[in-house]
Amino acid sequence: MKSPICDMLGIEFPLLAFSHCRDVVAAVSRAGGFGVLGATAHSPETIEQELRWIDDHTDGKPYGLDVLIPENISTAGEKDVTWKSLEARISPQHRDFTRNLLKKYGVELTTSNVADNQPQPFDAQRALDVLEVSFRHPIKLIANALGVPPKQMIDMGRKHGVPVAALVGSKEHALRQVAAGVDILVAQGTEAGGHCGEVSTMVLVPEVIKAIKPVRDVPVLAAGGIMTGRQMAACMAMGAAGAWTGSVWLATVESETTEIFREKMIAASSRDAVRSRGRTGKPARQLRSVWTDAWDRGPDSPGALPMPLQSIISRDAFNSIDRAAAAGNVQARDLVTYFVGQGVGLIDSVKSAGAVVQEFKEDFADAVEHMNMLMEE
């Protein structure tokens, strides 16, 4: 494989796997891909534990780290914003709506105690502190979503000789990222799970490549709905240097998702993955559920709050929902959701992460062989 991503990251196959689960990250890297740990929920203390475990389970294979430092957030410019101070900004109307929605499905909303000084969700300084700890480990990539990485993050990458990647959803975003100095672009189409834009992967990838070509040579990874090696090959035929994937790993035995959610993924179609503000306050693709319908279309919905306030509402809600569903509350299953892309329609079983990597390789090789045969005819 001659992809520049392979040379940059020291891998044999340019398949990157984003996951919040360390087991998935390690398994993918061991199998010849490149695992990327989602570190948004981690503190400097917990990331040290996670990376130490990954170091011990990757057989020396490379892996990376992804953080979330949004440019556009309701608390932008504010100093020392804590979780508790944000809780005070949530209106009684939003709290009552959440509590009544869960009660309707037999779920009691329980709240979690947080320290008075716990930083707000998506706190930029906390993310930078996590990165600082991470460089004590042999990470080979750092990535950021929801905007241009802060200069400190790019400087960290330069200092440690680690490439900096950024996710983009439009050519305008891509041009800003290239101007800021990122090393790798992830062109993420609207098919993707989680925060995503409105342009499809098939359109976005060549559009981004064309836009940045006159500016600087930056490898572009394709993302959004990629669940097979054939799709990966198609994206690389358009000029992508590899694939950034996420949803396909949610249906692996190593994943952090619950058994209930895995069952719902297998039963879902691509149309069941909808963009909703109901979980974070920004449009994020997730499995349609009673929760997404209530926030987005419910006649009594007060409307989702901006990020990060909606994340504070949903954290306790989904902890309560998952506990109730796991305890046998059948009604609670209707509320269960998680970030997943439109590729969910291609999930038909639960497999090991290593097996998925192998299937990608074989499927990719078959696609290349097929194209070569067509060229010879």
Side-chain angles (χ1 to χ4, degrees):
M1 181 68 68
K2 297 181 180 179
S3 168
I5 289 296
C6 292
D7 293 334
M8 291 178 74
L9 303 181
I11 54 178
E12 61 185 66
F13 189 60
L15 174 66
L16 281 73
F18 169 84
S19 176
H20 292 289
C21 180
R22 66 187 188 182
D23 300 80
V24 172
V25 171
V28 170
S29 289
R30 284 198 309 270
F34 187 89
V36 182
L37 181 68
T40 302
H42 283 289
S43 66
E45 294 75 26
T46 61
I47 201 64
E48 170 64 30
Q49 297 171 8
E50 294 291 283
L51 297 188
R52 190 183 304 126
W53 186 93
I54 292 174
D55 291 343
D56 292 339
H57 291 81
T58 52
D59 296 339
K61 299 295 181 68
Y63 66 92
L65 196 77
D66 178 284
V67 295
L68 192 59
I69 306 178
E71 277 189 292
N72 184 15
I73 190 169
S74 64
T75 54
E78 297 185 40
K79 300 292 185 181
D80 302 321
V81 180
T82 64
W83 190 286
K84 281 193 175 296
S85 69
L86 289 180
E87 285 183 329
R89 304 183 192 184
I90 298 173
S91 73
Q93 182 185 13
H94 284 83
R95 292 190 181 281
D96 290 343
F97 179 79
T98 303
R99 186 176 296 103
N100 292 336
L101 174 61
L102 268 60
K103 185 178 181 180
K104 183 178 178 181
Y105 288 83
V107 178
E108 180 181 355
L109 178 63
T110 56
T111 57
S112 305
N113 291 323
V114 296
D116 290 341
N117 62 346
Q118 181 173 323
Q120 65 165 318
F122 318 116
D123 180 72
Q125 187 55 55
R126 182 185 175 108
L128 293 172
D129 292 343
V130 164
L131 287 174
E132 195 64 58
V133 171
S134 302
F135 284 118
R136 301 173 190 166
H137 299 264
I139 58 173
K140 300 300 181 183
L141 174 78
I142 56 175
N144 182 59
L146 291 183
V148 176
K151 184 176 182 299
Q152 301 99 303
M153 181 173 173
I154 295 176
D155 289 344
M156 281 181 176
R158 297 284 184 274
K159 176 183 176 182
H160 295 277
V162 174
V164 180
L167 278 69
V168 300
S170 71
K171 69 176 183 181
E172 292 80 12
H173 295 161
L175 289 168
R176 290 186 61 225
Q177 299 281 11
V178 170
V182 301
D183 303 296
I184 298 170
L185 290 176
V186 180
Q188 180 178 267
T190 191
E191 300 95 323
H195 298 106
C196 60
E198 300 174 303
V199 183
S200 73
T201 305
M202 181 66 76
V203 172
L204 181 64
V205 171
E207 187 177 27
V208 165
I209 292 171
K210 181 180 179 181
I212 67 171
K213 187 175 182 180
V215 184
R216 185 160 59 88
D217 185 19
V218 177
V220 175
L221 294 171
I226 301 172
M227 310 291 283
T228 70
R230 288 184 180 274
Q231 291 173 292
M232 178 179 173
C235 289
M236 294 183 73
M238 293 191 294
W244 175 285
T245 56
S247 297
V248 68
W249 312 105
L250 297 175
T252 61
V253 295
E254 297 92 345
S255 172
E256 76 279 10
T257 55
T258 65
E259 187 63 32
I260 291 171
F261 184 72
R262 292 177 195 171
E263 292 173 0
K264 294 185 75 169
M265 281 193 292
I266 292 171
S269 73
S270 57
R271 289 186 176 183
D272 293 319
V274 298
R275 291 172 81 234
S276 170
R277 296 179 184 271
R279 186 133 188 172
T280 70
K282 287 182 179 293
R285 194 171 295 284
Q286 55 206 273
L287 200 63
R288 183 179 178 182
S289 71
V290 167
W291 176 273
T292 59
D293 284 351
W295 281 99
D296 297 338
R297 310 176 199 178
D300 300 323
S301 172
L305 291 165
M307 178 182 275
L309 298 178
Q310 189 68 20
S311 296
I312 289 178
I313 288 178
S314 63
R315 186 190 74 159
D316 285 337
F318 281 106
N319 285 340
S320 303
I321 291 166
D322 289 341
R323 280 195 299 269
N329 181 337
V330 177
Q331 286 183 297
R333 294 174 65 99
D334 293 336
L335 288 160
V336 171
T337 184
Y338 197 66
F339 305 112
V340 70
Q342 290 180 319
V344 69
L346 293 171
I347 295 174
D348 58 10
S349 63
V350 176
K351 306 168 184 176
S352 72
V356 173
V357 175
Q358 186 60 34
E359 286 185 4
F360 258 87
K361 291 179 179 179
E362 294 172 358
D363 207 28
F364 182 91
D366 287 347
V368 172
E369 181 180 0
H370 178 69
M371 290 301 298
N372 288 338
M373 289 175 59
L374 291 177
M375 294 293 289
E376 293 171 0
E377 293 179 357

